[in-house]
Amino acid sequence: MFDYLLTMCYVFLLRICILLLILLLLLLLIDAGGSGSEIGHRVIVPAIHARGGRHVDRLLLSDPDLDHYGGMQDLLERLSVNTFLWTGARSRDSRFDMLLETLKRKNVRLERVSSETRDQMLGDVSLNYLHPHLLRSINLPGNSQSLVLKASYGNFSVLLTGDSDRLSESTLMYGPEAVNLSATLLKIPHHGSESSSQSTFIDRVSPKMAWVSAGRVNRFGHPRETVMARYERRGIQVIRTDQNGQL
């Protein structure tokens, strides 16, 4: 039987690193955040090596904020990467320009993804990009453009939401690209902030379990207890990196 592993690890303050190890050590790495220049080889690369990974097939950026891409520069100097997936949204930070230059120097293929992208397969896992739309999201505020991805394998599915906000959630539920959001596991949007996790959105996803990435005693107060209560009232098991560390 193939070995499928999904793990989320806390990387410094509010950094998220999700690894999906599939089949012959094909690896999809979603975000590699952190502001420290050494976070790649101190945290992310060892986490990949510990699971037998030596190469990243697809490196995906859900949001062009430093807490999502800060460790990628370091990572690219230490691991080979086939393809960089992103929405095309850019940051004004010069460090983001450096990342794009490194991707070019390392001959990494860049591929823009959106809700118009056809479902992709990684081994037996289906990758369905639900948000944002290529054109309709151009003038949306930053977090409303965050990438939302649903990965499915058999009867198991995980909804990965990045820093999605209420506008993103409403678009997914009621907009032109409204889709089936139900999933076994939900990565709680935007670290469990008040800007997301509407009750109607949680009900649409109806997960058995939810994960939230947040640093212990962080200055933002994430995850908000009022948000956690919405999940708990529905009997959804919530696992938190600020309490449990790597998941």
Side-chain angles (χ1 to χ4, degrees):
M1 178 175 289
F2 297 121
D3 179 26
Y4 286 76
L5 171 65
L6 176 68
T7 183
M8 179 165 63
C9 58
Y10 155 59
V11 184
F12 292 150
L13 184 54
L14 291 176
R15 323 311 189 213
I16 178 171
C17 167
I18 301 178
L19 308 176
L20 191 56
L21 288 172
I22 305 171
L23 279 171
L24 304 174
L25 295 182
L26 291 177
L27 188 142
L28 168 67
L29 173 59
I30 304 176
D31 288 344
S35 56
S37 61
E38 299 179 347
I39 194 170
H41 75 264
R42 290 183 58 187
V43 180
I44 301 169
V45 172
I48 293 173
H49 284 172
R51 288 156 181 81
R54 294 295 181 270
H55 168 81
V56 175
D57 187 68
R58 304 178 202 185
L59 176 60
L60 188 149
L61 179 63
S62 68
D63 189 302
D65 286 337
L66 188 64
D67 63 333
H68 292 259
Y69 73 82
M72 288 186 179
Q73 182 81 19
D74 200 24
L75 172 79
L76 287 163
E77 300 295 345
R78 289 165 171 79
L79 289 176
S80 61
V81 175
N82 272 350
T83 305
F84 178 73
L85 304 168
W86 66 321
T87 63
R90 293 172 175 261
S91 167
R92 295 180 180 178
D93 194 316
S94 61
R95 286 169 290 191
F96 190 77
D97 294 330
M98 289 175 58
L99 172 63
L100 294 179
E101 290 171 3
T102 302
L103 289 164
K104 182 178 180 180
R105 175 168 55 85
K106 294 288 185 178
N107 295 316
V108 178
R109 185 171 69 90
L110 271 63
E111 180 181 345
R112 290 185 63 174
V113 292
S114 69
S115 60
E116 296 179 299
T117 302
R118 286 187 176 184
D119 291 3
Q120 298 177 343
M121 298 299 296
L122 189 60
D124 290 339
V125 174
S126 172
L127 304 176
N128 185 7
Y129 302 96
L130 306 181
H131 184 80
H133 187 275
L134 185 61
L135 297 178
R136 285 192 286 269
S137 65
I138 291 176
N139 295 318
L140 292 178
N143 286 340
S144 299
Q145 297 186 47
S146 194
L147 183 67
V148 178
L149 167 67
K150 185 175 181 180
S152 305
Y153 173 63
N155 294 325
F156 175 84
S157 59
V158 55
L159 188 65
L160 304 168
T161 57
D163 279 354
S164 296
D165 57 11
R166 291 190 187 94
L167 180 56
S168 303
E169 293 175 349
S170 296
T171 300
L172 286 164
M173 290 188 291
Y174 312 117
E177 61 256 44
V179 292
N180 177 12
L181 296 173
S182 62
T184 315
L185 171 65
L186 170 66
K187 201 290 290 183
I188 294 177
H190 202 190
H191 316 290
S193 76
E194 286 285 4
S195 67
S196 53
S197 289
Q198 301 172 84
S199 295
T200 49
F201 179 76
I202 298 172
D203 291 338
R204 284 289 186 95
V205 180
S206 188
K208 291 183 173 65
M209 180 183 294
W211 287 355
V212 61
S213 169
R216 186 175 288 112
V217 196
N218 64 81
R219 64 189 177 93
F220 301 101
H222 295 159
R224 295 288 183 176
E225 292 306 319
T226 52
V227 174
M228 295 299 93
R230 294 174 203 159
Y231 290 90
E232 293 164 3
R233 284 196 299 269
R234 290 164 172 77
I236 299 168
Q237 182 183 3
V238 176
I239 302 179
R240 302 165 45 160
T241 57
D242 61 328
Q243 296 178 350
N244 304 98
Q246 179 173 297
L247 308 181

